[in-house]
Amino acid sequence: MMKITLKDGSVKEYEQAVSVYEIAADISEGLARNACAGEVDGKVVDLRTMVEQDCSLSILTVHDPAGLAAYRHTTSHVLAQAVKHLYPEAKLAIGPSIENGFYYDFETPSFSRDDLDKIEAEMKKIIKAGEKLERFTLPREEAIKFMEEKGEPYKVELIRDLPEDAEISFYRQGDFTDLCAGPHLMSTKPIKAFKLTSSSGAYWRGSEKNAMLTRVYGTAFAKKEELNEYLEYLANIKNRDHNKLGRELELFATVDVIGQGLPLLMPKGAKIIQTLQRWIEDEEEKRGYMRTKTPLMAKKDLYVISDHWDHYKEGMFVLGDEEKDDEVFALRPMTCPFQYYVYKQSPKSYRDLPCRYGETSTLFRNEDSGEMHGLTRVRQFTISEGHLVVRPDQLEEEFKGCVDLAKYCLTTLGLEEDVTYRMSKWDPENADHYLGNAEMWDEVEAAMRKILDDIGIEYTEEVGEAAFYGPKLDIQAKNVYGKEDTMITIQLDMFLADRFDMSFVDKDGTKKRPYIIHRTSMGCYERTLAWLIEKYEGAFPTWLCPEQVRVLPISEKYHDYAEKVEAELKANGILATVDERAEKIGYKIREARLAKLPYMLVVGQKEEEDGLVSVRSRFNGDEGQKSLSDFIDAISREIRTKEIKTINVE
């Protein structure tokens, strides 16, 4: 007898092989009706999978992540079937489930919202028909011929790329068949609630060298209530998307003739960046950093020494032709080799270390055009970059100092609770990508792990995410859509000092190699601005606002007093403007609120006579009349302490 141990510990016995679905039906009709996939000995499998030996088994429903993924994967096949019904010339690419739904890529002209609505209507017809999904396999050559006859070149390419011994499986539902490994529902009938959310372009296999396809995103849930909650959530995050909100608030713009990944920072956005930059530079100076200013480009020779030419050339903007030109230059993708030569300009002894160099660095990276997004993925950006040249015995203390600076920046910006920490390690399976050998990497990774454990940081470890010259601590954050990006990085480097012949004279009079810490204090200014827009929905802490106070005269008669108030505010370092438009005061207040300003000062006859201002804030609404000096003292203290105030009113 074959024994199947179920999730609750009970055991089912069978005399012969039986499918996962049949076991679910044997447990209860309700479970079989709701089953989406199975988990056999920890591996997610299709409901049609035959169980042939003793094992543990869990029946997965939409309440299990893997079950919900199978549910959504089946919905993506329904989408593909509907597209083929409506647009027979469309070519199929891939259609997986993803974290919050699914997508399918097609070679077809782009879809409008009206097109998506038509596709949804066709999907509902397919679901109502309750087509059964049948799984079958074909030998490699038959599978290729099958998809060639259907005119599906992307599927043929996928089959050819599969390992020789791979099982090539297909799923058929009615008149539609797709190459797929599964798992899938038994039929389309259980799909209760879905929505196609958007359509965009996507390169085949993520490479701009390949064809641009049309990607349709969607989501699916077991209940309409869950779908409606999610769609409401989507509407909310779209309003917080920095790409939308940042443009509406006139913080940045992009222009086709300038190029993708090259945003224009508008006066308001540039003011926020300036405020951040001055704050960071002052803070670094307090912590012993020496400022440098280095060129935006260098000869190829520099990058050959650093090994960036071999490891990173594809991501660089190269100026010149290596085959023809005597000198080839490249825009810098990082500042480290430049600062190494600052270090080398004079001999150093052990007493001179650590040398902490800081620079507000504009960098250039040749990102794929398909990867560009607002301010988070750009081709020119500026970072709070630094390199610390340290003695080996200083490594731990200086690394901890870098972490402390990063945490100070996150805390001041109100972002510390929004991040996770990741130790990014080398990949021994891809050793050619890295400097050094396994023994060196084991040593440096052990050193970093000890430091992180001593600090008490909770972190994960990720193989293959290290820089080619050393492991790093990546401080990660997610945007409103859940996509994770690196915000701050601190890297250990025990290799490049040797390449650049960097040294110091130790106590015993011998020359030694220093270690190097590469770090950012706040990271990329553009990406941080995007993060702040989404975090605060454009209602930044007062100290970061490009306009902190707007003075609102109730009529033209009080323009002179309004300008006097503005001048006094500016004299105290407060960013203030006057709204002198011939509009009613209620309209001016609404406009100021839509601009997400921290404070409005309404002035009229009473205020002018008594030297007062009527204060309205986004924190407490109408705060009543105050003397101008008292208001200035209060807001100056708020700006000086970088206070993050709670918004109590709409």
Side-chain angles (χ1 to χ4, degrees):
M1 296 290 286
M2 182 173 60
K3 295 183 178 181
I4 311 298
T5 304
L6 303 178
K7 189 176 182 179
D8 63 359
S10 61
V11 176
K12 286 277 187 182
E13 295 186 352
Y14 298 93
E15 294 182 351
Q16 57 189 15
V18 61
S19 72
V20 172
Y21 180 78
E22 289 170 325
I23 297 172
D26 192 27
I27 296 170
S28 77
E29 289 185 11
L31 181 60
R33 198 163 46 245
N34 292 308
C36 298
E39 186 176 314
V40 176
D41 289 338
K43 181 182 178 181
V44 176
V45 299
D46 192 271
L47 292 169
R48 301 157 189 79
T49 300
M50 298 302 293
V51 179
E52 299 175 335
Q53 60 186 20
D54 294 356
C55 66
S56 62
L57 170 68
S58 294
I59 306 299
L60 305 178
T61 70
V62 289
H63 301 296
D64 303 293
L68 182 58
Y71 180 90
R72 288 170 169 169
H73 192 182
T74 302
T75 313
S76 81
H77 276 222
V78 174
L79 161 62
Q81 184 177 9
V83 168
K84 292 294 282 187
H85 283 180
L86 298 173
Y87 309 94
E89 299 305 312
K91 305 300 182 187
L92 302 172
I94 58 172
S97 63
I98 54 178
E99 184 177 359
N100 292 311
F102 59 87
Y103 70 78
Y104 210 110
D105 289 345
F106 306 92
E107 183 189 279
T108 185
S110 59
F111 292 128
S112 66
R113 183 66 248 179
D114 286 344
D115 294 330
L116 296 184
D117 292 342
K118 291 175 185 175
I119 296 169
E120 280 186 9
E122 184 64 23
M123 290 174 69
K124 289 176 181 176
K125 292 179 184 177
I126 294 168
I127 292 168
K128 187 176 181 180
E131 299 281 9
K132 289 185 177 180
L133 275 80
E134 300 171 336
R135 182 181 185 276
F136 64 94
T137 62
L138 289 174
R140 174 181 294 273
E141 293 308 314
E142 287 185 35
I144 291 171
K145 183 180 178 182
F146 181 67
M147 279 302 174
E148 283 179 337
E149 289 175 351
K150 286 185 170 292
E152 299 292 356
Y154 298 101
K155 299 296 184 181
V156 171
E157 182 179 330
L158 290 172
I159 295 169
R160 292 189 188 279
D161 286 349
L162 289 172
E164 288 292 332
D165 59 349
E167 181 181 69
I168 302 172
S169 60
F170 297 83
Y171 283 82
R172 181 188 296 118
Q173 57 196 55
D175 59 2
F176 175 77
T177 303
D178 202 354
L179 171 74
C180 188
H184 280 289
L185 306 182
M186 298 299 288
S187 79
T188 63
K189 192 173 182 180
I191 301 171
K192 302 298 182 185
F194 72 92
K195 182 70 179 177
L196 301 183
T197 53
S198 64
S199 177
S200 64
Y203 288 111
W204 170 234
R205 293 189 154 180
S207 172
E208 63 178 343
K209 296 177 182 178
N210 295 332
M212 174 66 79
L213 305 177
T214 294
R215 175 169 295 178
V216 178
Y217 285 99
T219 192
F221 291 87
K223 297 179 180 178
K224 285 187 177 180
E225 294 81 4
E226 294 173 334
L227 174 64
N228 291 337
E229 284 177 12
Y230 180 71
L231 294 177
E232 186 177 339
Y233 161 76
L234 276 187
N236 178 50
I237 64 173
K238 283 180 180 177
N239 289 329
R240 290 173 51 207
D241 183 348
H242 86 275
N243 219 356
K244 174 179 182 290
L245 190 53
R247 296 170 199 272
E248 291 174 354
L249 294 174
E250 298 181 342
L251 299 175
F252 76 96
T254 52
V255 180
D256 286 344
V257 296
I258 293 175
Q260 281 186 305
L262 299 170
L264 295 173
L265 286 173
M266 307 291 278
K268 293 178 182 178
K271 186 63 185 177
I272 296 174
I273 297 293
Q274 182 190 57
T275 301
L276 290 169
Q277 181 178 331
R278 288 175 173 173
W279 163 56
I280 291 296
E281 289 180 351
D282 288 348
E283 182 61 32
E284 288 181 343
E285 189 170 336
K286 292 176 188 175
R287 294 174 182 243
Y289 282 81
M290 300 174 284
R291 302 224 63 76
T292 65
K293 187 172 177 59
T294 55
L296 299 180
M297 67 177 74
K299 293 196 298 184
K300 163 189 171 182
D301 309 49
L302 179 71
Y303 305 116
V304 169
I305 296 171
S306 69
D307 227 27
H308 284 100
W309 201 256
D310 287 338
H311 287 91
Y312 206 80
K313 180 183 172 185
E314 293 301 315
M316 298 167 67
F317 289 102
V318 177
L319 310 176
D321 187 329
E322 291 183 81
E323 301 297 324
K324 300 177 182 177
D325 299 330
D326 292 335
E327 288 188 326
V328 174
F329 288 78
L331 298 177
R332 65 180 185 186
M334 74 297 294
T335 308
C336 42
F338 297 85
Q339 290 191 333
Y340 298 162
Y341 279 98
V342 173
Y343 176 87
K344 284 167 61 69
Q345 291 311 296
S346 62
K348 302 290 190 300
S349 83
Y350 69 94
R351 295 187 185 90
D352 297 314
L353 272 56
C355 283
R356 305 184 189 100
Y357 297 114
E359 183 165 338
T360 302
S361 305
T362 298
L363 306 178
F364 305 86
R365 295 184 183 173
N366 191 11
E367 302 277 7
D368 290 340
S369 58
E371 295 294 318
M372 299 300 103
H373 178 69
L375 297 176
T376 58
R377 186 71 67 173
V378 291
R379 287 174 169 156
Q380 176 184 310
F381 57 95
T382 303
I383 66 173
S384 56
E385 192 167 17
H387 297 89
L388 292 80
V389 186
V390 305
R391 302 191 310 263
D393 63 289
Q394 296 170 326
L395 182 66
E396 183 172 343
E397 181 181 357
E398 291 300 315
F399 191 93
K400 289 178 178 178
C402 293
V403 175
D404 183 72
L405 175 57
K407 284 193 161 190
Y408 164 75
C409 291
L410 291 169
T411 301
T412 304
L413 293 171
L415 302 170
E416 187 178 14
E417 298 301 317
D418 301 331
V419 302
T420 57
Y421 296 85
R422 181 183 76 190
M423 178 179 162
S424 296
K425 306 190 297 184
W426 83 313
D427 181 2
E429 300 297 320
N430 190 21
D432 291 345
H433 180 70
Y434 305 91
L435 300 179
N437 55 44
E439 185 178 351
M440 294 175 176
W441 277 91
D442 288 345
E443 178 186 344
V444 70
E445 287 181 355
M448 176 176 280
R449 193 176 290 110
K450 179 183 182 301
I451 293 170
L452 297 180
D453 291 343
D454 285 348
I455 295 172
I457 287 178
E458 290 187 15
Y459 62 94
T460 59
E461 297 190 14
E462 192 71 32
V463 172
E465 293 296 325
F468 68 85
Y469 49 76
K472 53 183 178 164
L473 173 65
D474 286 324
I475 302 177
Q476 305 289 107
K478 292 182 179 180
N479 68 11
V480 291
Y481 296 105
K483 183 181 182 301
E484 188 172 84
D485 284 306
T486 299
M487 306 307 297
I488 298 172
T489 185
I490 306 169
Q491 306 173 7
L492 290 185
D493 174 5
M494 297 184 180
F495 303 112
L496 290 182
D498 187 58
R499 280 184 167 269
F500 283 88
D501 193 25
M502 297 166 67
S503 63
F504 67 94
V505 178
D506 209 348
K507 292 178 182 179
D508 59 5
T510 61
K511 279 190 174 183
K512 300 284 180 64
R513 294 292 185 210
Y515 290 158
I516 300 167
I517 301 173
H518 306 239
R519 48 104 287 201
T520 55
S521 50
M522 186 197 62
C524 168
Y525 284 95
E526 289 83 358
R527 186 172 286 180
T528 299
L529 177 56
W531 194 9
L532 291 167
I533 293 169
E534 295 184 352
K535 167 74 174 182
Y536 293 108
E537 299 184 47
F540 305 104
T542 302
W543 73 277
L544 273 177
C545 286
E547 183 183 359
Q548 294 159 339
V549 180
R550 187 175 294 178
V551 186
L552 309 177
I554 62 174
S555 73
E556 187 178 350
K557 290 190 295 183
Y558 306 106
H559 282 186
D560 288 347
Y561 181 60
E563 290 170 2
K564 180 181 176 183
V565 169
E566 178 195 27
E568 189 67 19
L569 291 166
K570 287 182 174 179
N572 284 273
I574 298 164
L575 301 175
T577 61
V578 178
D579 186 347
E580 294 184 337
R581 294 176 298 168
E583 301 285 356
K584 292 182 177 179
I585 191 64
Y587 178 83
K588 291 182 180 182
I589 291 171
R590 284 194 298 275
E591 288 282 290
R593 289 179 64 186
L594 288 173
K596 301 181 182 287
L597 301 184
Y599 293 99
M600 297 162 265
L601 301 182
V602 180
V603 296
Q605 180 179 354
K606 177 67 173 173
E607 287 78 16
E608 184 173 25
E609 288 175 353
D610 298 339
L612 302 173
V613 290
S614 289
V615 181
R616 298 183 67 91
S617 76
R618 69 167 182 237
F619 312 108
N620 300 309
D622 187 350
E623 297 187 12
Q625 290 183 332
K626 297 181 182 180
S627 71
L628 181 57
S629 62
D630 285 349
F631 174 75
I632 288 174
D633 286 346
I635 190 174
S636 296
R637 183 168 54 253
E638 183 181 339
I639 293 169
R640 185 175 61 255
T641 61
K642 298 177 175 57
E643 181 181 358
I644 300 174
K645 297 178 72 171
T646 303
I647 297 176
N648 298 320
V649 296
E650 290 295 325

